[in-house]
Amino acid sequence: MTAPERELIDDCVHCGFCLPHCPTYVSWGEEMDSPRGRIDLMRALRAGTTQMTPTVAGHFDKCLGCMACVTACPSGVRYDILIEETRALVEQKYRRGLYDRFHRAMIFALFPYPRRLKALTALLLVYTWTGLRWLLRHTLVKLLPVRLREMEALQPTVTAHNLFGTLPDRVPARGEKRMTVAMIAGCVQRVFNPGVNEATLRVLSAEGCEVLVPRGQGCCGALSMHAGREHESLDFARALMGKFDGADAIVINAAGCGSHLKDYGRLLGTEEAKAFSAKVRDVNEFLAAFPPRAERRPLPLPLRIAMHDACHLQHAQRIVAQPRQLLKAIPGVTLLEIPDGNQCCGSAGIYNLVQPESADQIGQRKVDNLLSTKPDLLASANPGCTLQIQKILRERGQRLPAAHPIEILDASISGTPLP
Ligand code: SF4
Ligand code: SF4
Protein backbone atom coordinates (compact mmCIF):
# COMPACT_ATOMS: atom_id res chain seq x y z
CA MET A 1 0.00 0.00 0.00
CA THR A 2 1.34 3.42 -0.98
CA ALA A 3 0.06 6.89 -0.06
CA PRO A 4 -3.26 7.73 -1.82
CA GLU A 5 -3.31 8.77 -5.48
CA ARG A 6 -2.14 12.31 -6.11
CA GLU A 7 -5.25 13.16 -8.20
CA LEU A 8 -7.54 12.31 -5.29
CA ILE A 9 -5.43 14.43 -2.95
CA ASP A 10 -5.28 17.34 -5.41
CA ASP A 11 -9.07 17.49 -5.63
CA CYS A 12 -8.93 19.37 -2.32
CA VAL A 13 -8.86 23.11 -3.08
CA HIS A 14 -8.33 24.16 0.56
CA CYS A 15 -11.62 26.06 0.74
CA GLY A 16 -12.24 24.99 4.35
CA PHE A 17 -16.00 24.44 3.95
CA CYS A 18 -15.57 21.04 5.62
CA LEU A 19 -13.94 22.37 8.78
CA PRO A 20 -17.04 23.24 10.84
CA HIS A 21 -18.52 19.84 9.95
CA CYS A 22 -15.51 17.89 11.28
CA PRO A 23 -16.06 16.73 14.89
CA THR A 24 -12.34 16.65 15.76
CA TYR A 25 -11.80 20.14 14.35
CA VAL A 26 -14.82 21.33 16.35
CA SER A 27 -13.27 19.73 19.47
CA TRP A 28 -9.76 21.16 19.23
CA GLY A 29 -9.62 23.74 16.41
CA GLU A 30 -6.41 22.13 15.14
CA GLU A 31 -5.79 22.32 11.39
CA MET A 32 -4.05 18.94 11.38
CA ASP A 33 -7.16 17.40 12.97
CA SER A 34 -9.38 18.70 10.17
CA PRO A 35 -10.06 17.04 6.80
CA ARG A 36 -7.98 19.68 5.02
CA GLY A 37 -5.04 19.24 7.39
CA ARG A 38 -5.15 15.45 7.13
CA ILE A 39 -5.22 15.67 3.33
CA ASP A 40 -2.15 17.92 3.54
CA LEU A 41 -0.43 15.24 5.62
CA MET A 42 -1.33 12.64 2.97
CA ARG A 43 0.18 14.92 0.32
CA ALA A 44 3.37 15.32 2.37
CA LEU A 45 3.60 11.54 2.87
CA ARG A 46 3.22 10.99 -0.83
CA ALA A 47 5.87 13.59 -1.63
CA GLY A 48 8.19 12.11 0.99
CA THR A 49 8.48 15.40 2.85
CA THR A 50 7.18 13.79 6.01
CA GLN A 51 7.32 10.30 7.45
CA MET A 52 4.78 8.20 9.33
CA THR A 53 5.84 9.47 12.76
CA PRO A 54 3.74 8.91 15.91
CA THR A 55 2.41 12.49 15.54
CA VAL A 56 1.37 12.00 11.93
CA ALA A 57 -0.20 8.60 12.63
CA GLY A 58 -1.97 10.18 15.62
CA HIS A 59 -3.74 12.75 13.43
CA PHE A 60 -5.08 9.93 11.23
CA ASP A 61 -5.98 7.81 14.25
CA LYS A 62 -8.01 10.69 15.66
CA CYS A 63 -10.14 10.87 12.50
CA LEU A 64 -13.48 9.17 13.15
CA GLY A 65 -14.03 8.22 9.53
CA CYS A 66 -17.48 9.78 9.97
CA MET A 67 -17.53 11.18 6.40
CA ALA A 68 -19.20 14.43 7.44
CA CYS A 69 -16.48 16.10 5.36
CA VAL A 70 -17.50 14.10 2.29
CA THR A 71 -21.08 15.38 2.29
CA ALA A 72 -19.91 18.91 3.19
CA CYS A 73 -17.26 19.22 0.49
CA PRO A 74 -18.41 21.24 -2.56
CA SER A 75 -15.48 19.90 -4.63
CA GLY A 76 -16.46 16.25 -4.25
CA VAL A 77 -13.23 15.23 -2.51
CA ARG A 78 -13.32 11.47 -1.84
CA TYR A 79 -12.02 11.66 1.71
CA ASP A 80 -13.63 8.25 2.34
CA ILE A 81 -11.22 6.60 -0.09
CA LEU A 82 -8.31 8.79 1.03
CA ILE A 83 -8.62 7.89 4.71
CA GLU A 84 -9.29 4.22 3.99
CA GLU A 85 -6.06 3.97 1.99
CA THR A 86 -4.17 6.03 4.55
CA ARG A 87 -5.31 3.83 7.43
CA ALA A 88 -3.93 0.79 5.60
CA LEU A 89 -0.67 2.74 5.16
CA VAL A 90 -0.57 3.58 8.87
CA GLU A 91 -0.96 -0.12 9.75
CA GLN A 92 1.85 -0.98 7.35
CA LYS A 93 4.36 1.74 8.22
CA TYR A 94 3.73 2.59 11.83
CA ARG A 95 4.63 0.25 14.69
CA ARG A 96 2.25 0.95 17.53
CA GLY A 97 3.17 0.63 21.19
CA LEU A 98 2.81 -2.76 22.84
CA TYR A 99 -0.38 -1.92 24.73
CA ASP A 100 -2.02 -0.40 21.64
CA ARG A 101 -1.15 -3.50 19.60
CA PHE A 102 -2.52 -5.79 22.30
CA HIS A 103 -5.72 -3.77 22.65
CA ARG A 104 -6.38 -3.74 18.91
CA ALA A 105 -5.51 -7.45 18.59
CA MET A 106 -8.05 -8.21 21.32
CA ILE A 107 -10.75 -6.17 19.55
CA PHE A 108 -10.13 -7.88 16.22
CA ALA A 109 -9.93 -11.34 17.77
CA LEU A 110 -13.40 -10.78 19.19
CA PHE A 111 -15.78 -8.43 17.40
CA PRO A 112 -15.84 -9.90 13.88
CA TYR A 113 -16.68 -13.37 15.23
CA PRO A 114 -20.29 -13.91 16.38
CA ARG A 115 -19.46 -17.21 18.12
CA ARG A 116 -16.76 -15.55 20.18
CA LEU A 117 -19.15 -12.71 20.97
CA LYS A 118 -21.61 -15.32 22.23
CA ALA A 119 -18.90 -16.74 24.50
CA LEU A 120 -18.27 -13.19 25.73
CA THR A 121 -22.01 -12.83 26.31
CA ALA A 122 -21.92 -15.91 28.58
CA LEU A 123 -19.13 -14.28 30.58
CA LEU A 124 -21.05 -11.00 30.74
CA LEU A 125 -24.09 -12.84 32.07
CA VAL A 126 -22.02 -14.38 34.85
CA TYR A 127 -20.39 -10.99 35.45
CA THR A 128 -23.80 -9.34 35.80
CA TRP A 129 -25.74 -12.07 37.62
CA THR A 130 -23.07 -12.63 40.30
CA GLY A 131 -23.00 -8.92 41.14
CA LEU A 132 -19.38 -8.58 39.96
CA ARG A 133 -20.39 -5.84 37.56
CA TRP A 134 -22.01 -3.79 40.31
CA LEU A 135 -19.01 -4.40 42.58
CA LEU A 136 -16.46 -3.36 39.95
CA ARG A 137 -18.44 -0.27 38.92
CA HIS A 138 -18.68 0.87 42.53
CA THR A 139 -15.10 0.07 43.58
CA LEU A 140 -12.13 -0.67 41.34
CA VAL A 141 -13.29 0.59 37.97
CA LYS A 142 -11.37 3.88 38.28
CA LEU A 143 -8.13 1.89 38.57
CA LEU A 144 -8.56 0.29 35.15
CA PRO A 145 -6.64 1.77 32.17
CA VAL A 146 -8.90 4.26 30.38
CA ARG A 147 -9.51 2.02 27.35
CA LEU A 148 -10.59 -0.96 29.47
CA ARG A 149 -12.72 1.36 31.57
CA GLU A 150 -14.42 2.55 28.42
CA MET A 151 -14.97 -1.01 27.23
CA GLU A 152 -16.54 -1.89 30.56
CA ALA A 153 -18.77 1.18 30.48
CA LEU A 154 -19.92 0.48 26.91
CA GLN A 155 -20.95 -3.11 27.47
CA PRO A 156 -24.61 -3.69 26.73
CA THR A 157 -27.09 -5.20 29.13
CA VAL A 158 -27.41 -8.84 28.14
CA THR A 159 -29.99 -11.51 28.92
CA ALA A 160 -30.26 -15.22 28.17
CA HIS A 161 -31.93 -14.25 24.88
CA ASN A 162 -28.64 -12.73 23.66
CA LEU A 163 -26.99 -16.09 24.30
CA PHE A 164 -29.62 -18.56 23.14
CA GLY A 165 -31.65 -16.59 20.56
CA THR A 166 -31.41 -17.99 17.03
CA LEU A 167 -32.73 -16.82 13.68
CA PRO A 168 -34.70 -19.03 11.27
CA ASP A 169 -33.16 -19.92 7.88
CA ARG A 170 -36.26 -18.70 6.08
CA VAL A 171 -39.32 -16.64 6.89
CA PRO A 172 -42.24 -16.85 4.44
CA ALA A 173 -43.96 -13.77 3.03
CA ARG A 174 -47.31 -12.90 4.55
CA GLY A 175 -49.96 -12.71 1.85
CA GLU A 176 -48.96 -12.64 -1.78
CA LYS A 177 -45.18 -12.74 -2.16
CA ARG A 178 -43.64 -9.60 -3.61
CA MET A 179 -40.01 -10.73 -3.68
CA THR A 180 -37.32 -12.85 -2.02
CA VAL A 181 -34.68 -11.02 -0.02
CA ALA A 182 -31.69 -12.21 2.00
CA MET A 183 -30.83 -10.65 5.35
CA ILE A 184 -27.34 -10.05 6.65
CA ALA A 185 -27.44 -10.66 10.39
CA GLY A 186 -24.30 -8.69 11.35
CA CYS A 187 -21.90 -9.61 14.16
CA VAL A 188 -22.53 -7.17 17.02
CA GLN A 189 -26.14 -6.77 15.86
CA ARG A 190 -26.80 -10.51 15.90
CA VAL A 191 -25.43 -11.07 19.39
CA PHE A 192 -26.06 -7.84 21.30
CA ASN A 193 -29.27 -6.62 19.57
CA PRO A 194 -31.07 -9.78 18.46
CA GLY A 195 -34.41 -7.92 18.63
CA VAL A 196 -33.39 -5.76 15.66
CA ASN A 197 -32.95 -8.76 13.35
CA GLU A 198 -36.16 -10.34 14.64
CA ALA A 199 -38.07 -7.10 14.00
CA THR A 200 -36.54 -6.87 10.52
CA LEU A 201 -37.75 -10.37 9.67
CA ARG A 202 -41.28 -9.65 10.93
CA VAL A 203 -41.59 -6.35 9.06
CA LEU A 204 -40.19 -7.69 5.79
CA SER A 205 -42.52 -10.68 5.97
CA ALA A 206 -45.52 -8.44 6.75
CA GLU A 207 -44.61 -6.36 3.71
CA GLY A 208 -44.76 -9.42 1.46
CA CYS A 209 -41.10 -10.49 1.35
CA GLU A 210 -39.84 -14.02 1.76
CA VAL A 211 -36.65 -13.61 3.79
CA LEU A 212 -33.67 -15.94 3.67
CA VAL A 213 -31.04 -15.84 6.42
CA PRO A 214 -28.10 -17.81 5.04
CA ARG A 215 -26.40 -20.01 7.63
CA GLY A 216 -22.75 -19.59 8.48
CA GLN A 217 -22.53 -15.92 7.46
CA GLY A 218 -19.62 -14.19 9.13
CA CYS A 219 -18.42 -10.62 9.39
CA CYS A 220 -18.75 -8.25 6.42
CA GLY A 221 -15.27 -6.81 7.10
CA ALA A 222 -16.39 -3.24 7.82
CA LEU A 223 -14.67 -2.94 11.19
CA SER A 224 -11.41 -4.29 9.79
CA MET A 225 -11.45 -2.03 6.74
CA HIS A 226 -12.14 1.07 8.84
CA ALA A 227 -9.11 0.20 10.96
CA GLY A 228 -6.72 -0.30 8.02
CA ARG A 229 -6.74 -4.12 8.15
CA GLU A 230 -7.32 -4.37 4.43
CA HIS A 231 -6.43 -8.01 3.73
CA GLU A 232 -8.43 -9.33 6.67
CA SER A 233 -11.40 -7.23 5.57
CA LEU A 234 -11.30 -8.47 1.97
CA ASP A 235 -11.07 -12.09 3.14
CA PHE A 236 -14.23 -11.53 5.23
CA ALA A 237 -15.93 -9.95 2.20
CA ARG A 238 -15.17 -12.87 -0.12
CA ALA A 239 -16.38 -15.42 2.43
CA LEU A 240 -19.61 -13.51 3.06
CA MET A 241 -20.45 -13.07 -0.62
CA GLY A 242 -20.22 -16.83 -1.10
CA LYS A 243 -23.21 -17.27 1.22
CA PHE A 244 -25.60 -15.03 -0.76
CA ASP A 245 -26.98 -16.31 -4.04
CA GLY A 246 -30.40 -16.09 -5.60
CA ALA A 247 -32.07 -13.26 -3.64
CA ASP A 248 -33.61 -10.23 -5.36
CA ALA A 249 -32.10 -7.94 -2.71
CA ILE A 250 -29.70 -8.20 0.24
CA VAL A 251 -30.99 -6.31 3.25
CA ILE A 252 -28.92 -5.03 6.16
CA ASN A 253 -30.04 -3.12 9.25
CA ALA A 254 -26.65 -1.92 10.58
CA ALA A 255 -25.52 1.36 8.98
CA GLY A 256 -21.74 0.76 9.19
CA CYS A 257 -22.01 -2.68 7.62
CA GLY A 258 -24.37 -1.43 4.90
CA SER A 259 -22.02 1.22 3.60
CA HIS A 260 -19.15 -1.27 3.47
CA LEU A 261 -21.24 -3.94 1.70
CA LYS A 262 -22.17 -1.39 -0.96
CA ASP A 263 -18.44 -0.81 -1.50
CA TYR A 264 -17.47 -4.43 -2.23
CA GLY A 265 -17.66 -3.75 -5.97
CA ARG A 266 -15.04 -0.99 -5.80
CA LEU A 267 -12.87 -2.76 -3.26
CA LEU A 268 -12.74 -6.20 -4.89
CA GLY A 269 -13.21 -5.04 -8.50
CA THR A 270 -14.83 -8.33 -9.62
CA GLU A 271 -18.13 -8.72 -11.49
CA GLU A 272 -19.41 -10.90 -8.64
CA ALA A 273 -18.64 -8.20 -6.06
CA LYS A 274 -20.23 -5.49 -8.22
CA ALA A 275 -23.40 -7.58 -8.64
CA PHE A 276 -23.49 -8.24 -4.88
CA SER A 277 -23.09 -4.56 -3.98
CA ALA A 278 -25.79 -3.56 -6.46
CA LYS A 279 -28.26 -5.72 -4.52
CA VAL A 280 -27.45 -4.36 -1.05
CA ARG A 281 -30.07 -2.14 0.57
CA ASP A 282 -30.26 -0.65 4.01
CA VAL A 283 -33.56 -1.83 5.49
CA ASN A 284 -34.91 1.75 5.75
CA GLU A 285 -34.02 2.41 2.13
CA PHE A 286 -35.51 -0.90 1.05
CA LEU A 287 -38.86 -0.45 2.80
CA ALA A 288 -39.27 3.20 1.84
CA ALA A 289 -38.85 2.35 -1.84
CA PHE A 290 -42.11 0.47 -2.29
CA PRO A 291 -45.72 1.08 -1.21
CA PRO A 292 -46.46 -0.18 2.29
CA ARG A 293 -48.85 -3.09 2.58
CA ALA A 294 -49.01 -3.83 6.33
CA GLU A 295 -51.28 -1.62 8.39
CA ARG A 296 -49.49 0.90 10.66
CA ARG A 297 -51.31 1.04 13.99
CA PRO A 298 -50.81 3.65 16.71
CA LEU A 299 -48.23 2.79 19.36
CA PRO A 300 -49.58 2.32 22.91
CA LEU A 301 -48.50 5.85 23.83
CA PRO A 302 -47.93 8.92 21.64
CA LEU A 303 -44.17 9.18 21.27
CA ARG A 304 -41.72 12.03 20.72
CA ILE A 305 -38.92 10.27 18.84
CA ALA A 306 -35.51 11.88 18.33
CA MET A 307 -33.95 10.63 15.12
CA HIS A 308 -30.21 10.03 15.35
CA ASP A 309 -28.58 9.75 11.92
CA ALA A 310 -25.70 7.29 12.01
CA CYS A 311 -22.78 8.68 9.98
CA HIS A 312 -22.60 5.62 7.75
CA LEU A 313 -26.27 6.07 6.95
CA GLN A 314 -26.43 9.84 6.41
CA HIS A 315 -22.96 10.58 5.03
CA ALA A 316 -21.71 7.31 3.56
CA GLN A 317 -25.03 6.06 2.13
CA ARG A 318 -26.87 9.41 1.99
CA ILE A 319 -29.93 7.83 3.58
CA VAL A 320 -31.72 10.54 5.55
CA ALA A 321 -35.31 10.82 4.35
CA GLN A 322 -36.16 7.11 4.36
CA PRO A 323 -36.19 6.33 8.12
CA ARG A 324 -38.12 9.56 8.67
CA GLN A 325 -40.65 8.56 6.02
CA LEU A 326 -41.18 5.19 7.74
CA LEU A 327 -41.50 6.64 11.23
CA LYS A 328 -43.76 9.54 10.25
CA ALA A 329 -46.22 7.04 8.79
CA ILE A 330 -46.88 5.65 12.29
CA PRO A 331 -49.94 7.30 13.85
CA GLY A 332 -49.13 9.28 17.00
CA VAL A 333 -45.39 9.65 16.36
CA THR A 334 -43.79 13.08 16.58
CA LEU A 335 -40.38 13.08 14.95
CA LEU A 336 -37.74 15.37 16.46
CA GLU A 337 -34.60 16.62 14.75
CA ILE A 338 -31.44 16.64 16.88
CA PRO A 339 -29.52 19.95 16.53
CA ASP A 340 -26.20 19.51 14.68
CA GLY A 341 -27.51 16.13 13.59
CA ASN A 342 -24.80 15.84 10.94
CA GLN A 343 -22.20 15.39 13.70
CA CYS A 344 -20.93 11.98 14.79
CA CYS A 345 -21.74 10.57 18.25
CA GLY A 346 -18.15 9.40 18.78
CA SER A 347 -18.83 5.70 18.33
CA ALA A 348 -17.42 5.33 14.79
CA GLY A 349 -16.64 1.63 14.58
CA ILE A 350 -13.95 0.97 17.19
CA TYR A 351 -13.15 4.68 17.68
CA ASN A 352 -14.64 4.89 21.19
CA LEU A 353 -12.57 1.84 22.18
CA VAL A 354 -9.25 3.21 20.91
CA GLN A 355 -9.76 6.99 21.30
CA PRO A 356 -11.98 7.11 24.40
CA GLU A 357 -11.27 10.70 25.49
CA SER A 358 -12.01 12.18 22.07
CA ALA A 359 -15.06 9.92 21.64
CA ASP A 360 -16.39 11.06 24.98
CA GLN A 361 -15.95 14.76 24.14
CA ILE A 362 -17.83 14.29 20.87
CA GLY A 363 -20.45 12.05 22.49
CA GLN A 364 -21.18 14.61 25.23
CA ARG A 365 -22.05 17.19 22.57
CA LYS A 366 -24.35 14.68 20.86
CA VAL A 367 -26.14 13.87 24.09
CA ASP A 368 -26.56 17.57 24.98
CA ASN A 369 -28.17 18.12 21.61
CA LEU A 370 -30.27 14.99 21.88
CA LEU A 371 -31.65 15.90 25.30
CA SER A 372 -32.45 19.43 24.16
CA THR A 373 -35.24 17.92 22.03
CA LYS A 374 -36.90 16.42 25.14
CA PRO A 375 -37.58 13.03 23.54
CA ASP A 376 -39.38 9.93 24.87
CA LEU A 377 -37.36 7.61 22.66
CA LEU A 378 -34.15 7.62 20.61
CA ALA A 379 -34.25 6.11 17.13
CA SER A 380 -30.81 4.89 16.05
CA ALA A 381 -29.99 2.62 13.12
CA ASN A 382 -26.51 1.56 14.17
CA PRO A 383 -25.69 -0.62 17.19
CA GLY A 384 -22.44 1.21 18.00
CA CYS A 385 -24.18 4.62 18.10
CA THR A 386 -26.87 3.27 20.43
CA LEU A 387 -24.29 1.82 22.84
CA GLN A 388 -22.25 5.04 22.84
CA ILE A 389 -25.23 7.34 23.48
CA GLN A 390 -26.71 5.03 26.12
CA LYS A 391 -23.34 4.89 27.92
CA ILE A 392 -23.13 8.67 28.21
CA LEU A 393 -26.75 8.90 29.33
CA ARG A 394 -26.08 6.25 32.03
CA GLU A 395 -23.01 8.14 33.23
CA ARG A 396 -25.16 11.26 33.57
CA GLY A 397 -27.73 9.30 35.54
CA GLN A 398 -30.31 9.75 32.80
CA ARG A 399 -32.39 7.19 31.05
CA LEU A 400 -33.75 7.32 27.54
CA PRO A 401 -34.97 4.17 25.82
CA ALA A 402 -33.54 3.52 22.37
CA ALA A 403 -34.76 1.48 19.45
CA HIS A 404 -33.79 0.86 15.86
CA PRO A 405 -36.33 2.46 13.44
CA ILE A 406 -37.25 -1.05 12.30
CA GLU A 407 -38.15 -2.01 15.88
CA ILE A 408 -40.44 1.03 16.10
CA LEU A 409 -42.07 0.12 12.80
CA ASP A 410 -42.42 -3.48 13.98
CA ALA A 411 -44.11 -2.32 17.18
CA SER A 412 -46.65 -0.48 15.03
CA ILE A 413 -47.23 -3.37 12.61
CA SER A 414 -47.03 -6.46 14.84
CA GLY A 415 -47.66 -4.96 18.29
CA THR A 416 -44.32 -6.30 19.63
CA PRO A 417 -43.39 -4.12 22.62
CA LEU A 418 -40.53 -1.66 22.15
CA PRO A 419 -37.25 -2.53 23.90
S1 SF4 B 1 -11.92 18.64 1.62
FE1 SF4 B 1 -13.35 19.77 0.31
S2 SF4 B 1 -14.36 21.21 1.70
FE2 SF4 B 1 -12.52 20.50 2.76
S3 SF4 B 1 -10.95 22.00 2.25
FE3 SF4 B 1 -10.76 20.36 0.72
S4 SF4 B 1 -12.04 21.02 -0.99
FE4 SF4 B 1 -12.64 22.31 0.76
S1 SF4 C 1 -14.06 11.71 8.51
FE1 SF4 C 1 -15.03 12.95 10.15
S2 SF4 C 1 -13.41 13.18 11.70
FE2 SF4 C 1 -12.40 12.48 9.83
S3 SF4 C 1 -11.74 14.36 8.80
FE3 SF4 C 1 -13.78 13.86 7.95
S4 SF4 C 1 -15.24 15.00 9.22
FE4 SF4 C 1 -13.27 14.95 10.35
Side-chain angles (χ1 to χ4, degrees), residues 11-18 35-36 39 73-75 77:
D11 283 341
C12 174
V13 295
H14 282 80
C15 65
F17 282 137
C18 54
R36 185 173 63 187
I39 292 171
C73 176
S75 303
V77 170

Side-chain angles (χ1 to χ4, degrees), residues 34 187 394 397 401 418:
S34 77
C187 303
R394 255 195 322 274
L418 285 167

